[in-house]
Structure formats: C-alpha cells, structure tokens
Amino acid sequence: MSAEPIRNARGTRDFLPSDLVLVQHLERTAQAVAKSACYQEIRTPLFEETRLFQRSLGETSDVVAKEMFTVPKRVEPGASPNAGQDGYTFRPEGTASAARAYIQGGFAAHAPLQKWFYIGPMFRYERPQKGRERQFTQFGVEAFGVQSPELDAEVVSLALDFFLRLGFGEELQVRINSMGDPADRHRWSAKLKEFFQPQVDVPDSPRCADCVQRFQRNVFRLLDCKVPRCIELNQGAPDLFALMGEEALQHHHRFAQALSNLGHQPVEDRSIVRGLDYYTRTVFELHYPPLGSRSALCGGGRYDGLVAEMGGRPTPAVGFSIGFTPTELALAELKLPPAADLADLHAQLAPQIYLVAIAEEDRADVLRLTHRLRQHGWRCSCDYRQKSAKAQFKEAAKSKAILALVLGAEERAADQVVVKDLRLQEEQRVEISALPALLAQLLA
Ligand code: HAM
C-alpha cells in the first residue's frame, strides 16, 4: 500500500528555479533602492526568544495573541524549574529583531544613527488566503537615531521607489496617519472606549465578533475593521487629531509637507492604526486598491519608544516592511514587470556553452575543458549520461545554450575545438589557446 505523498505545509510555497526569477528581481530591486539611500543590510536570526515579540509587538496584538510559531525550549538537565517556560518564536516581522540587535550592538553610545535594511522570510500562523501566507518574505528598512519628519518622508519615498522601479503607476496609494505620542494615545483610548462601549457591551452587539474581542485588547483596531456595518458604526468616533499635543501635530504636518515636496500626494486616512503596538506619531501604508481588503503592500511608521521599552537608551526610529506576496499578486494583475527586466535572470537558468564529446575517448578532455571554462566564469554544461554525439547536440539545443563546443579525435590531435553558434548555426574551428578570446567576443 503506498503512503500518502507528503506535501508542503499549508500557507507555504516551493520556489522552483523559474519561480525564483521574479523573487530575485524583487530582491535586487530592494537592494538597489535601499543602497541608493545608504541603508546597509542586516541579517538577524530567523527565530528569537518569544518574549522579544511579546514585549515589542504587544501581548494584545493579533500577531502575538494568535499568530506566533513558537517552540518550547529544551530543558537541560539540572536547569531551574522555570527554564522551559519561555520558548523560541520564528520571527513574525523584522522590526523587533532589528531593535534588539541595535541595543545588543551598543550603537546608541558610539553610532546612534543607523540605517538598515533586510530581506527575508517571516512566519505568521494566519489563515492562508489570497496574499496571506504562513511563511512570506518581507523587505524592510529601519532607521534609528533621528526623530525628523523629513526622515519619515525619506522612508516612505524608498518604499514608493521600490514599486516605481517595478513599473507600478498611478494605482499605488500612500495612506498616512499619526498615532500621536503615548500621552495622546492614552487620552484617545479612553475616549474611544467611552464611544464604543454602547456598541459592544450589549447583547447581540451590532459590531463583528473581532471588534467585540478587540474592544478590550486594542480599541484602536475597531477603527480599521473592514466589515461595512462596523465602518458605518465608526462614524463620529473621537478623532486623535483633536486631542494630539502640539509636537506630534507639527510632526505630522511637516511629514505630509516633506512628502509633497518630494512629489508624492499622500491620502490622509484616519483608519490606519496598524496592528502592532510599538507605533508613535507617523504611520503609513502603501495600497494597491484592486487587491481589495488585502490591498496593503507595505506598512510602517515611527516607533520612538520601542528601543527604550526594550531596555536600550531612548532612541527614535522609523521604518517599513513590504510583503513580497501581495507585491507578486499586484504585479501579476498589472502584467509587470516587463519581460525585458527579467531577461538576464531567465538567461542565467541556461548554460552559455554546451560541450559535446564526439566519442567515448573524447569525454575526459571535454570534462577538463568544461572545468577550465567554468573557471573563466562561463556557465557550461555537458553530458554525464553517455549520450551519443547526436543526442548531445539535441540536449545542447534543449538547454538553450548559445554555443556548442565540439571535441573529436581530429580536434584533439590538432589541439583545436569546433565552436558552433547555435543561434546562427555557424561554426568555426579554433586553436584551444585562442578559445577564451573568441568566447569572450561571442558571448559579450
Ligand atoms: P505589517 O503591516 O504587519 O508590518 O507587515 C508589513 C507587510 O508585510 C504587509 O503590508 C504585508 O504586505 C506583508 N505581510 C504581513 N503579513 C503577511 C502574510 N501573512 N503573508 C504575506 N504578506 C504579509 C510589519 O511587519 C512591521 N514590521 C513594519 C514596520 C517596519 N514598521 C516599522 N518598521
């Protein structure tokens, strides 16, 4: 009896060679954008102490409350009875790890201004659906050490630049808001609770089940509920901007002004409250509206309190993360990127040179030559399945190689090789010593 074949886990994907072409293009675009503004790459571990995320994202956030991939720590013999209580969690996002690495590296003392970026997998135990996976890639930037609203605008413009370089146009929206300073949010939270109480604390609440739950945990999240009835019920809710202190208000105005100075037209959106607890002042999202309720391609904002909250010196910071999954969906809808942008990556899947041995005795020399040409940096392939010369030529054509190099007894005796251009179907015989120069010319 054959066993059920094992498949990949729900909410994950295999990226096979041709799927990776687009991912590699997203990665190199991200790298180019980040480096253009002097952000440097960091790589932090894929898993961290669970309490890092509990402390930074907030116990009440959906991510911490429901979506963490956590494994218990192994209790070593002789360890204290509490040793196994904390676990390790596969990172659901990159900001907490970046802040931890910033504190651990002691940057606040010697080089407080740090501009970092990362590209890598994140893990959230969500219900998989269009644009949402359990393992997904984020490109993020995090800038530590400056509280300027102009830096917030720089960060937004980098996110925009990523999408513009991919070919996005007018459909892309920048939505901005402010979460004020902690004291503002405290007052606002009390006012929101007063406002929403009669909608939630009644039998058969008119709000959705998520809102009823979030009312206690994180009342701000009622404002970003996507259920039409809840959106209606949000009409008239207290506005943070009416309560906000002068400094946070000025910060927001300067941020919006700096964006328009850079030629961007942000949309003020008071429903952006973000799902993670660490935000202060600036928050923003980039949306591609045709993707509907899952249109967010990028989310970010300022988190001036996080580093101090985690035990570091008070250090302002701002950043964003872009999800590759929704980006891929939006690109597919827009029929982007243009084929020419991916042509070099597709080409790299094929050999440039396929080496053909006419007879069995020629194989050792073919292998030696293949090895030498690879050391020159050319992508070379040859046959290991004892195929006939005719079948090797077929393989060469199938592999989409540009050139075939042919070695037979005659060529070996004369220290020569036949170079066949498979595009033009032209061939020439050359001395082995002249081969590198000819290949450089033909493959330029
Ligand atoms: P976030 O809004 O939770 O923010 O995630 C950022 C982006 O990651 C989302 O806009 C979405 O594109 C993508 N994303 C999130 N969850 C999934 C999923 N399950 N499947 C596919 N894509 C997903 C953060 O993660 C913050 N760390 C952003 C940040 C950086 N704030 C300041 N610095």
Side-chain angles (χ1 to χ4, degrees), residues 63 92-96 118 124 126 131-138 140-142 274-276 278-279 285-286 296-303 318-327:
V63 174
E93 57 102 61
T95 310
Y118 51 86
R124 294 187 192 179
E126 295 200 52
R132 297 310 262 200
E133 293 176 297
R134 290 180 175 169
Q135 178 181 330
F136 56 97
T137 298
Q138 279 187 347
V141 311
E142 313 291 351
R274 312 286 298 128
L276 311 169
Y278 48 61
Y279 291 106
E285 290 179 355
L286 300 197
L297 303 170
C298 166
R302 201 154 255 297
Y303 45 98
V318 59
F320 69 71
S321 307
I322 289 172
F324 275 13
T325 319
T327 304

Side-chain angles (χ1 to χ4, degrees), residues 177-199:
N177 196 16
S178 174
M179 293 299 284
D181 284 322
D184 305 330
R185 245 192 347 274
H186 196 69
R187 285 201 298 277
W188 189 37
S189 165
K191 294 247 180 227
L192 286 173
K193 283 204 161 149
E194 225 172 82
F195 178 83
F196 287 126
Q197 183 98 26
Q199 298 180 9

Side-chain angles (χ1 to χ4, degrees), residues 354 360 363 382-388 391-392 395 398:
Y354 195 101
E360 243 357 81
R363 283 188 186 270
C382 62
D383 170 55
Y384 291 101
R385 290 177 292 178
Q386 315 304 119
K387 290 195 180 235
S388 68
Q392 290 175 59
E395 280 295 316
K398 201 166 132 197

Side-chain angles (χ1 to χ4, degrees), residues 109-131:
H110 60 89
L113 178 58
Q114 291 295 321
K115 291 177 162 188
W116 291 345
F117 80 93
Y118 51 86
I119 303 168
M122 308 292 162
F123 306 85
R124 294 187 192 179
Y125 213 137
E126 295 200 52
R127 192 167 63 80
Q129 52 188 302
K130 200 175 177 195

